Amino acid sequence: MNIFSQYQGLRKENYVLFLGRIVTNLGSMVWPVLTLILTRKMGMSATEAAMVMLLSGVILMPAGLIGGKLADKHNKKFCIINCDVISVVAYIITAFIPLGVPTIILVVIAAACQSMEHPAYNALIADITHTKDRERAYSLQYLGSNIGLVASPVLAGILFENYLWLAFLISGVAIGCSTVLIYFLVKDITPVEEQGEEQIYQKHEKGDSLWKVLAKNKIVLFYIVIMGLYHGAYLQYGYLMPLDMVRFHGDKGAVIYGSVSSLNCIVVVLCTPIFTKILRKVSLTQKNLAGNVMVMLGYLVFLLMIGKLPFYYIAIVLFTFGEILTTISNGPYLAARVPASHRGRVNGVMTVVQSIMQGVFLLSIGPLYDHISPTAAWIFVLAVLTAAIVGSVLLIFLDKKFYRFMYKDEAEADV
């Protein structure tokens, strides 16, 4: 079985965006070590670092909504390019100034632009891909992201102590190369014409506001809340995990975390095509539930075996299986259930809800970690993830009832 042959037959622009993801993420070195920059380089406590990240989250919060509205109202390609240009400038400036408050401001500006382009990216992939091909298309984009990320966390760990400025510079140059690729090679962004009864959910609703569309699609809103809970717990892979690794392993913690992050990307690259192929007949909601459960298992292994290096890699493999399952189901789920005219804005709402959950986590976890215990912080994470799992179970039944045309073939098979 050639697992990569499943990606054949997509529109050319899908492959260009795939290459763009690879190039951009080759330079994604800053965010994986941001917690360590704040604590190890700038001397902040876990609570102070959490407050900085919370403030960043508040600033980033409207970016998703703004980006979503721009994506629905204007050319999605140029929304991506304009945001990328600002990010490139911010990262390059950061490389040549002393590490301090201006550094964090510029990193947040770059992150805001990346958040603004995210709804446009997701909506563009949905626009140029038929419903039956979307799971493959989103899987391909996710694969590209992680091919680029394989080397960057290890390199970030190596550069962290003495050459952090170079990590900022590489990030800027890489995003710049991706921008050039998209500018010159993504030419046709004409939305596809869909056929079939299930396309009733994707009809344009030009006269309706975003909130009216969401009110009609309460299950989508419920899904967004579930994914917000999941996202808040998922992000502890980049916050609590590195803090604990440094707590147990000292100066080696950054390098260990970099190697764990790289394994995460390697597993994504190796397993995403396999999961996409063998699970193609499993419903998106079932994959989402399995993903939440696998992330929970990964965290439990990490916590039960903390301090024992080999188990970090077992934990991250389980965690990554969960990440793959939730990611390959997320884009296709939303694209098939909301009007094409509102895809950008709905993706923007998803980004905002995730930012809110990130803020809730940071407000809670920093003080828990500093003033009670790391264990208390992790208990909070696991409790929220449990709520997401319960919600995912309910979603399986509610989605089948509300979007019955999406399950027409399954219903006919049961007759």
Side-chain angles (χ1 to χ4, degrees):
M1 176 178 69
N2 185 352
I3 57 173
F4 292 102
S5 65
Q6 67 184 307
Y7 296 118
Q8 294 176 355
L10 298 172
R11 202 149 130 183
K12 180 194 79 173
E13 283 70 22
N14 279 295
Y15 304 117
V16 177
L17 293 171
F18 165 72
L19 291 174
R21 293 278 197 183
I22 293 175
V23 175
T24 296
N25 286 347
L26 279 171
S28 296
M29 300 181 193
V30 176
W31 281 102
V33 294
L34 184 59
T35 299
L36 299 179
I37 291 172
L38 296 173
T39 55
R40 302 284 290 177
K41 289 290 188 181
M42 300 181 67
M44 295 184 185
S45 67
T47 299
E48 290 170 336
M51 289 302 104
V52 170
M53 294 179 75
L54 173 62
L55 180 60
S56 301
V58 170
I59 295 170
L60 294 177
M61 199 176 297
L65 282 177
I66 294 169
K69 187 164 187 178
L70 290 174
D72 285 336
K73 300 294 185 183
H74 302 286
N75 186 298
K76 295 178 179 67
K77 169 184 170 180
F78 287 105
C79 286
I80 294 169
I81 290 170
N82 291 333
C83 289
D84 275 351
V85 168
I86 298 172
S87 296
V88 169
V89 173
Y91 276 128
I92 290 177
I93 292 174
T94 302
F96 295 102
I97 63 174
L99 190 63
V101 174
T103 304
I104 303 305
I105 292 172
L106 286 168
V107 168
V108 171
I109 290 172
C113 291
Q114 296 296 295
S115 293
M116 286 179 67
E117 77 169 44
H118 184 71
Y121 227 115
N122 279 346
L124 180 58
I125 294 166
D127 281 356
I128 63 175
T129 313
H130 287 283
T131 300
K132 63 184 177 62
D133 295 324
R134 280 191 192 131
E135 194 166 344
R136 295 189 297 134
Y138 281 104
S139 170
L140 183 66
Q141 298 307 314
Y142 179 52
L143 182 62
S145 297
N146 283 275
I147 289 173
L149 284 171
V150 166
S152 61
V154 171
L155 189 53
I158 294 170
L159 296 175
F160 179 78
E161 289 298 332
N162 300 309
Y163 299 99
L164 185 58
W165 65 272
L166 188 56
F168 290 112
L169 181 61
I170 292 172
S171 293
V173 171
I175 295 172
C177 292
S178 170
T179 307
V180 171
L181 271 175
I182 293 171
Y183 182 82
F184 286 106
L185 297 180
V186 174
K187 299 189 182 212
D188 182 12
I189 59 171
T190 307
V192 298
E193 293 186 10
E194 296 283 9
Q195 303 293 329
E197 285 183 314
E198 71 272 14
Q199 308 314 321
I200 190 173
Y201 307 119
Q202 301 177 51
K203 287 183 178 179
H204 282 250
E205 300 284 354
K206 289 292 186 183
D208 288 349
S209 69
L210 168 63
W211 309 115
K212 189 173 180 180
V213 166
L214 288 175
K216 290 179 181 177
N217 295 273
K218 294 182 178 64
I219 305 304
V220 167
L221 196 55
F222 181 52
Y223 172 77
I224 289 173
V225 172
I226 292 169
M227 293 306 293
L229 295 172
Y230 163 82
H231 184 73
Y234 168 85
L235 286 177
Q236 303 319 303
Y237 157 65
Y239 179 66
L240 280 182
M241 269 194 175
L243 284 178
D244 274 352
M245 288 179 187
V246 169
R247 182 165 63 95
F248 276 88
H249 303 284
D251 292 338
K252 294 180 181 178
V255 176
I256 293 171
Y257 178 69
S259 67
V260 168
S261 296
S262 285
L263 178 60
N264 167 261
C265 299
I266 291 169
V267 173
V268 167
V269 171
L270 294 176
C271 295
T272 296
I274 297 172
F275 283 18
T276 303
K277 185 83 172 177
I278 66 176
L279 299 176
R280 64 189 183 280
K281 293 185 178 179
V282 177
S283 74
L284 297 174
T285 53
Q286 290 172 333
K287 277 187 274 216
N288 180 67
L289 171 61
N292 277 266
V293 171
M294 294 303 294
V295 168
M296 170 81 87
L297 290 175
Y299 280 157
L300 287 173
V301 170
F302 175 77
L303 291 172
L304 292 173
M305 299 298 176
I306 196 163
K308 299 176 182 178
L309 189 58
F311 287 94
Y312 294 169
Y313 300 100
I314 295 172
I316 206 62
V317 168
L318 294 171
F319 174 91
T320 307
F321 286 168
E323 178 189 334
I324 293 170
L325 291 169
T326 55
T327 303
I328 64 175
S329 59
N330 180 49
Y333 180 89
L334 287 178
R337 288 161 175 78
V338 298
S341 53
H342 290 68
R343 282 176 184 149
R345 280 167 284 180
V346 171
N347 275 283
V349 170
M350 171 81 85
T351 302
V352 170
V353 171
Q354 290 176 344
S355 296
I356 291 171
M357 284 309 305
Q358 180 179 358
V360 170
F361 266 74
L362 291 173
L363 273 174
S364 308
I365 287 174
L368 283 172
Y369 192 95
D370 281 336
H371 303 303
I372 300 179
S373 71
T375 301
W378 277 110
I379 289 172
F380 178 80
V381 172
L382 296 177
V384 173
L385 195 50
T386 299
I389 290 171
V390 172
S392 297
V393 172
L394 290 174
L395 181 70
I396 291 173
F397 300 100
L398 293 173
D399 192 76
K400 190 176 291 189
K401 180 180 178 181
F402 195 84
Y403 297 104
R404 60 185 183 279
F405 287 125
M406 304 297 297
Y407 298 89
K408 185 179 178 183
D409 292 341
E410 181 181 320
E412 289 175 350
D414 291 338
V415 173

